[in-house]
Amino acid sequence: MILIPGPASIELGSRIALSLGVKPHPVEHRIFPDGESYVRLTTPVEGETVVIIQTTAPKQDQRLMQLFMMAGTAKGLGAKRIVCVVPYLAYSRQDKRFKEGEALSLDMVLGLLDSIGADDLIVVDAHSTESLDKIETEHEINVHNLSAIPLLAKELKKIGFKGAYSLSPDKGAIHLAEAAAEILGGGSGFFEKFRDRTTGEIEMKVEDLKIADEKAVVFDDIISSGGTMARAVDGLKVLGAEMVAAACTHALLMKGAKEKIEKAGADLIISSDTIQDCEDLVTVSIAPTIADALKSLK
Ligand code: R5P
């Protein structure tokens, strides 16, 4: 197995290599003045199973193009099997046509990987497992969806959130809260959104939740602008929760997101390293989970 960390996942790639006990072979790469990417594989791949690790957090289009270039080059140079590990898969939220005429972006990303000749795609906490499963059936590529939620819950249990109530910001993500509750042990639920007819403001509430003086954790797949998480944290603090943690797999954390969540009253923000290490964020590594998945590939 040849492990190739792409430019977006050098550190995670090294951690996965360490977990597997293999040497990583990072690509040579640079960005031309006009923004185009250059990549060059640095080791022969003919006849090999090649694992390319490249997350696709901002700049998504550039990261995706680099992924396509690495996978396509490995294919062109005679790799036997190409496994793309894309911990954060960009464009996953546009998995349906919510309005007529919209692009099915997730379908296109999978289609491109397919046509390049990638055999397997490993992702972490895909935005919608249901949509991904449906789209996967229309392509040849085998998709493996891993989860960082058990790791996050185990870490939270160690650092004072044992017995905390687990919540998801909406019903669609309840599976995240349920998986966490199996480890934290404090039960699970989800938020419902209410719109104030006068102000138009959205409030997030859990009906009949008694959380005063208790601990709670909100689990989401992504924190981007931080708006969803901040509203959820605020809702719990209004109900008198003693300690609230904000947990996510993919900390996109756009400008101001962290401050927004802290201002809402979060005592802790925790994420996995699918995107990056934030020095001032508690982070758990998904590397051992990915290494196990790679070991068990048939
Ligand atoms: C939405 O369906 C996702 O699961 C996240 O809740 C959402 O992407 C978070 O976005 P933001 O941080 O911008 O509210």
Side-chain angles (χ1 to χ4, degrees), residues 93 127 169-170 173 220-229 231:
R93 281 174 286 182
H127 179 62
D170 55 47
D220 206 351
D221 57 339
I222 302 167
I223 297 179
S224 180
S225 71
T228 306
M229 189 57 87
R231 274 202 292 265

Side-chain angles (χ1 to χ4, degrees), residues 105-179:
S105 313
L106 177 61
D107 182 50
M108 280 156 206
V109 172
L110 258 56
L112 284 163
L113 284 170
D114 221 8
S115 63
I116 281 167
D119 300 283
D120 300 88
L121 171 65
I122 296 182
V123 299
V124 183
D125 287 317
H127 179 62
S128 163
T129 314
E130 202 188 313
S131 301
L132 191 63
D133 288 349
K134 188 166 166 280
I135 293 174
E136 186 189 2
T137 58
E138 286 150 30
H139 301 282
E140 294 279 307
I141 194 163
N142 295 309
V143 184
H144 314 264
N145 183 21
L146 312 179
S147 182
I149 299 300
L151 293 171
L152 293 168
K154 277 181 200 153
E155 183 63 20
L156 283 158
K157 191 174 175 180
K158 270 197 258 164
I159 57 177
F161 283 87
K162 185 174 177 191
Y165 191 72
S166 302
L167 291 125
S168 59
D170 55 47
K171 199 175 178 185
I174 182 65
H175 61 285
L176 304 180
E178 284 171 350

